[in-house]
Amino acid sequence: MKKALVCGAGGFIAGHLVKKLKKAGYWVRGVDIKKHEFSTSPADEFLTLDLREEENCREALALGNGAFDEVYQLAADMGGMGFIHSAECEIMRNSALINIHMTHHAWKTGVPRYFFSSSVCVYRDMKHGEPEMTEQQAIPANPDNEYGWEKLYAERMAQAYDRNRGMKVRIARFQNCYGPEGTWRGGREKAPAALCRKIAEAGEGGVIEVWGDGTAVRSYTYIDDMVEGIYMLMHSDLEGAVNIGCPEYASVDELANIIAAAAGKKITIRHIEGPVGVQSRNFSNSRIYSIGWKSRFSLRQGVALTYPWIEEQVRRTAG
Ligand code: NAD
């Protein structure tokens, strides 16, 4: 039986990844600084550890005999635009420490395959209508925020361990990911969850506030597609960074309207000042397509599965 360590298993994407690995027959150890907020982890073992500490990375990786077959590193100090712009020092320090220690000790304990979760935040801002950018075009680098710079550093460090130490490294650059059991309030939630919450809280004909002018364009990938992409990439021969994202792009206002339609509500959008991030995105998926991955969920389908879960959380916490 293959053994996998999943870092960040108390969080959104890694929480779903643990479920996927269990279904695929793995023995799984999850590790996170906190337990999962919304469900009991199906991991065979769950360790609550602060992975900024080198000693804790060693403990997370320790097995009685041998090494983990696969390590999935998704732990990060992470949030939506509000968090990314207000917590630059925390992101640069905390996520870098986690990645420095985890990459090094994964190699030291003899882990043969290591996955790192990067982000399309490594790319520069784009103009509306610009042609697709490929993975190589992240360099020369000019990310819009410190979160992107930290990811670039961690990517390069992991690649150095691949080149110089022989640990096989797989790196995904995720586009925005959404779905049930993701953070939906508290300041770290991302746009799809925040908009679902605002619409769930609004009455019929209500007004919701949207940061910026509503024209910023993004692609949104449903969680099941993302987890499938991680799994396929990890087991592929693809070296270097690989974009994973749904090829459907939408403006923030379009996203809000899709969510309102799923909620069956008429809403009015009021644009207010707030951190927006880049203007536009458009990335090539040809590398991940080359191993047979394709997103299966359109934005409408993914929202139809996500909105009811957030609406239920809103109802429960209000009641
Ligand atoms: P998340 O916040 O739900 O999960 C991250 C987990 O890391 C959290 O459970 C958190 O407690 C844990 N963590 C933070 N600091 C830790 C520490 N010191 N020690 C141990 N655990 C710690 O975020 P997510 O959306 O599931 O993101 C997972 C990964 O994917 C992250 O690396 C993130 O940067 C990347 N990513 C996510 C998206 C997205 O849209 N969700 C997009 C691009 C990249």
Side-chain angles (χ1 to χ4, degrees):
M1 187 187 262
K2 275 197 183 173
K3 291 186 174 154
L5 176 68
V6 179
C7 308
F12 171 46
I13 303 177
H16 285 273
L17 179 63
V18 170
K19 292 181 194 166
K20 161 90 187 165
L21 292 171
K22 282 307 301 165
K23 274 197 198 130
Y26 282 66
W27 185 89
V28 180
R29 176 184 288 166
V31 58
D32 200 296
I33 199 166
K34 61 162 177 65
K35 291 238 153 54
H36 202 289
E37 201 183 330
F38 307 114
S39 61
T40 309
S41 174
D44 298 276
E45 252 181 41
F46 192 100
L47 305 184
T48 311
L49 293 171
D50 181 346
L51 295 174
R52 287 171 301 182
E53 304 292 333
E54 189 164 7
E55 196 43 49
N56 290 341
C57 289
R58 267 199 215 109
E59 187 180 333
L61 285 155
L63 281 175
N65 51 346
F68 280 97
D69 299 290
E70 296 171 8
V71 169
Y72 295 83
Q73 195 332 60
L74 289 93
D77 209 353
M78 162 68 188
M81 269 308 135
F83 178 76
I84 282 177
H85 283 269
S86 65
E88 294 182 329
C89 301
E90 289 81 353
I91 289 168
M92 289 301 255
R93 179 173 187 273
N94 297 339
S95 297
L97 284 173
I98 296 170
N99 287 316
I100 287 169
H101 296 318
M102 196 37 89
T103 314
H104 180 71
H105 287 286
W107 160 68
K108 264 204 128 174
T109 56
V111 168
R113 225 162 238 268
Y114 185 86
F115 173 88
F116 174 60
S117 53
S118 186
S119 161
V120 293
C121 282
V122 300
Y123 295 100
R124 63 166 171 81
D125 193 358
M126 296 178 74
K127 295 200 169 56
H128 294 296
E130 251 192 81
E132 283 181 351
M133 280 174 78
T134 64
E135 285 83 352
Q136 282 143 318
Q137 289 175 288
I139 306 291
N142 190 17
D144 174 65
N145 51 55
E146 303 313 320
Y147 171 75
W149 282 106
E150 191 282 329
K151 289 289 190 197
L152 262 187
Y153 168 73
E155 279 189 10
R156 294 186 76 88
M157 189 182 49
Q159 281 168 329
Y161 276 80
D162 186 318
R163 276 195 312 277
N164 301 319
R165 300 280 192 273
M167 177 169 74
K168 277 202 165 40
V169 168
R170 297 291 173 262
I171 297 171
R173 290 182 182 154
F174 301 158
Q175 299 240 29
N176 266 284
C177 181
Y178 70 101
E181 300 193 354
T183 303
W184 59 277
R185 62 171 177 175
R188 284 184 186 245
E189 66 279 18
K190 306 192 91 185
L195 291 173
C196 284
R197 186 198 68 234
K198 288 177 184 185
I199 290 171
E201 287 168 349
E204 170 62 22
V207 176
I208 64 154
E209 292 185 337
V210 167
W211 290 346
D213 65 6
T215 62
V217 166
R218 305 278 184 278
S219 119
Y220 301 94
T221 306
Y222 187 63
I223 183 66
D224 291 11
D225 283 335
M226 192 59 89
V227 165
E228 192 60 28
I230 295 170
Y231 188 80
M232 289 178 72
L233 175 58
M234 182 62 147
H235 298 101
S236 76
D237 292 330
L238 280 186
E239 293 176 344
V242 178
N243 298 328
I244 303 184
C246 176
E248 185 184 348
Y249 287 82
S251 70
V252 177
D253 280 0
E254 282 164 348
L255 174 64
N257 287 324
I258 289 171
I259 296 169
K265 286 184 184 177
K266 280 217 156 47
I267 50 130
T268 302
I269 297 170
R270 183 192 302 143
H271 296 117
I272 60 163
E273 286 256 323
V276 174
V278 294
Q279 281 177 57
S280 192
R281 292 313 204 183
N282 188 18
F283 299 114
S284 162
N285 278 324
S286 51
R287 297 202 78 215
I288 190 77
Y289 288 167
S290 76
I291 58 166
W293 180 87
K294 269 220 149 46
S295 57
R296 290 175 302 136
F297 294 86
S298 68
L299 185 53
R300 269 190 181 70
Q301 289 168 325
V303 163
L305 295 166
T306 307
Y307 179 78
W309 182 82
I310 294 182
E311 190 186 44
E312 172 65 19
Q313 309 307 307
V314 169
R315 200 177 311 122
R316 258 203 238 152
T317 46

